[in-house]
Amino acid sequence: MDKWWKNSVVYQVYPRSFLDTNGDGIGDLNGIIEKLDYLKLLGVDAVWLSPVFKSPNDDNGYDISDYRDIMDEFGTMEDMERLFAEAEKRGIRIIIDIVANHTSDEHPWFQEAKKSRDNPYREYYVFRDNVDGKVPNSLESVFSGSAWEYQEETDSYYLHCFSKKQPDLNYENPKVLKEMIDIENFWIDKGAGGFRLDVIENIGKIPDEEIIVNGPRLHEYIHEMYKQAFSRKDLLVVGECWAADEQIGKLYSNPAREELSMIFQFEHIGLDEVEGEGKWSLKPLNLLDLKRILSKWQNAFHGDGWNSLFWNNHDLPRIVSRFGDDGTYRVESAKMLATLLHGMKGTPYIFQGEEIGMTNISLATIDEYEDIETLNMYREKIAEGWTDEKLMESIHAKSRDNARTPMQWTDGLNAGFTSGTPWFAVNPNYKQINVEAALRNPDSIFYHYQKLVRLRKEKKVLVDGDYRLLCADDPDIFAYARILDGQVVVVVCNFHGDAREVSVMDELAGLTGGRGEEYKILLSNYKDSGCDLSRLELRPYEAVMYELA
Ligand code: TEU
Ligand code: CA
């Protein structure tokens, strides 16, 4: 096996909500250090840290005002160095989240750029004149409204694909690429094990043609980052790429092209929205769609690309509430979803709290929410005439804040997250759902994840095996095989809250050349799961991983 990240599992920490050690209600670097042994116990190889740099926190750290310094609330550079050192002792690498597409408007570059039209930093950003007294064109911000903001000092508009406080950088100016490469090298020298590149697909933008993602020079810029930074060490570099299809996925992750290790693609994430109506529309998941999309990506790469595998991150609702059942079958369905994902080919990512089955939160009023995307959307849609009731329903299902409630460590005060006042609501279900309880119970979701992480280390077939979808037309069962030389692993998952029957034997025999039919159970979310693959009776959300004996 060539690359360390191919049999690795990455754990994402959203520092603000992980663990507060000084009572100010905000998670901090010392909190992460304190929990490294917990992460070691889970077995992960790397931690992706959402941004920890200096930031006025308009978008919780994704608006950076100094890429070489630490946010006051999170700690100091000494804390960060200690985190690198303590993680290294435990064999855990730290993946740094670089926001290369935009800075904070409080970054010194922007402070300079907005001063005058001939300021040396002017071309670091995208400033344009008005057109007939109006915004330059119809580009829209992901966080609602026009992507252009009027800037009085120089009577011009600047581009912001996200919030007004996140002005877009201009990569048509070679100095910007050089600056970003210097920043990457700064963190490589500090000991970064890799990078997660925020909305990297945006950096090739041609704003005048209203092209934002997948611009013509995008891959040239990334290749340059590779040559001058990423290639210096054996790093995991993952790009966030909402608009990627499999062909684009290959452009980024084919090793021969020297760009990224892998990308996050989001096709499976849009399956519970109405096509064309955006993320806030609601639609139940059709399992056949999920099977089609995930299988397509599983089969896309043959040495010319690599997948990342994820259900969750800090922008997405909790998967057990989304594609599982966060009521009666919370434990079973959380384990089922984990089994399905971790049996696939690629590098799995676990988002904090996923390993204990944390759920979405339903806060009663919009005032209790924090996320800028949620708040802006609400304001905009209320003005368009939507009702509060309908919007709150969407927010409960889709708001990014679902992922951002404090980590539930114990059943004590504030779920053990802070001794002070938490910056954001703790999910009231922490009395039942918390790490302490999970560690006490050998049947917990936590230990199921731990086994999955370990299996990836033990079974080469899970890393390199081919993927074959089984019973493709079954609307309730997601089953597949992984095959490598003589090794076969079969994963069978019931996505339904009722019992289901399925046979995968005939299809399997066809794939394995009709070899022996003895399968043994590697892992299951029930006791006494069936072993006769020609007739499996699956209980609600039952998931079993088998291995050819
Ligand atoms: O996300 C990019 C992005 O497009 C998301 O804002 C996404 O559209 C939205 O969350 C879907 O609901 C990245 C970061 O992950 C996100 O946290 C940042 O807010 C954003 O970039 C801007 O930096
Ligand atoms: Ca703190």
Side-chain angles (χ1 to χ4, degrees), residues 205-383:
K205 68 187 86 87
I206 308 287
D208 298 327
E209 294 172 33
E210 302 200 12
I211 296 171
I212 296 296
V213 296
N214 296 321
R217 297 179 63 192
L218 170 63
H219 295 280
E220 177 191 326
Y221 301 148
I222 299 176
H223 179 59
E224 212 47 44
M225 287 182 175
Y226 176 92
K227 278 202 305 195
Q228 296 185 43
F230 310 150
S231 59
R232 291 179 50 221
K233 293 217 178 119
D234 188 9
L235 304 179
L236 181 168
V237 186
V238 53
E240 187 201 19
C241 304
W242 288 77
D245 60 17
E246 317 93 88
Q247 293 316 313
I248 296 174
K250 277 186 205 176
L251 296 180
Y252 289 114
S253 70
N254 184 347
R257 292 177 48 85
E258 306 188 316
E259 294 190 16
L260 309 177
S261 318
M262 65 191 97
I263 61 163
F264 294 125
Q265 66 79 19
F266 292 84
E267 263 192 272
H268 58 302
I269 290 306
L271 293 177
D272 56 0
E273 64 195 47
V274 182
E275 218 185 310
E277 290 186 24
K279 86 170 231 180
W280 301 102
S281 62
L282 303 176
K283 183 183 108 176
L285 174 71
N286 177 342
L287 184 65
L288 292 173
D289 290 340
L290 185 68
K291 289 163 71 162
R292 182 173 46 80
I293 297 294
L294 289 182
S295 300
K296 183 181 79 170
W297 281 91
Q298 283 292 291
N299 291 322
F301 307 134
H302 299 280
D304 54 357
W306 189 254
N307 274 305
S308 61
L309 306 168
F310 69 97
W311 290 129
N312 277 112
N313 67 33
H314 64 292
D315 294 332
L316 305 175
R318 295 280 179 180
I319 199 63
V320 68
S321 302
R322 192 174 202 182
F323 294 168
D325 169 6
D326 63 9
T328 316
Y329 294 111
R330 185 184 65 88
V331 173
E332 290 80 0
S333 65
K335 290 179 182 174
M336 182 276 285
L337 289 159
T339 309
L340 182 84
L341 197 76
H342 285 245
M344 289 188 170
K345 185 171 185 172
T347 301
Y349 290 72
I350 301 170
F351 178 67
Q352 67 184 41
E354 180 183 334
E355 77 280 15
I356 56 167
M358 278 177 61
T359 69
N360 282 353
I361 192 167
S362 291
L363 297 169
T365 64
I366 188 67
D367 309 333
E368 293 163 78
Y369 281 83
E370 289 280 347
D371 166 38
I372 182 166
E373 182 193 41
T374 305
L375 299 177
N376 286 0
M377 177 286 288
Y378 182 90
R379 211 177 304 128
E380 185 178 74
K381 292 227 192 301
I382 284 286

Side-chain angles (χ1 to χ4, degrees), residues 433-502:
I433 306 171
N434 61 70
V435 169
E436 207 171 64
L439 294 182
R440 254 194 327 256
N441 174 6
D443 288 328
S444 68
I445 301 168
F446 177 90
Y447 291 116
H448 195 85
Y449 270 89
Q450 186 189 51
K451 278 179 213 142
L452 287 166
V453 175
R454 194 173 349 146
L455 279 172
R456 184 162 292 266
K457 294 272 181 283
E458 292 168 1
K459 307 279 172 196
K460 198 168 155 31
V461 59
L462 287 177
V463 180
D464 294 320
D466 284 338
Y467 169 94
R468 292 280 183 276
L469 181 66
L470 302 170
C471 50
D473 299 328
D474 191 309
D476 300 317
I477 307 290
F478 198 148
Y480 60 87
R482 300 288 310 280
I483 304 175
L484 183 71
D485 307 323
Q487 304 166 51
V488 184
V489 162
V490 179
V491 174
V492 184
C493 296
N494 179 7
F495 257 77
H496 221 272
D498 298 313
R500 284 286 182 275
E501 238 184 68
V502 68

Side-chain angles (χ1 to χ4, degrees), residues 422-440:
W423 73 275
F424 183 51
V426 175
N427 195 313
N429 62 22
Y430 73 93
K431 290 273 176 204
Q432 289 77 46
I433 306 171
N434 61 70
V435 169
E436 207 171 64
L439 294 182
R440 254 194 327 256

Side-chain angles (χ1 to χ4, degrees), residues 19-28 73:
L19 179 65
D20 172 29
T21 58
N22 64 351
D24 67 353
I26 299 174
D28 42 52
E73 293 92 324

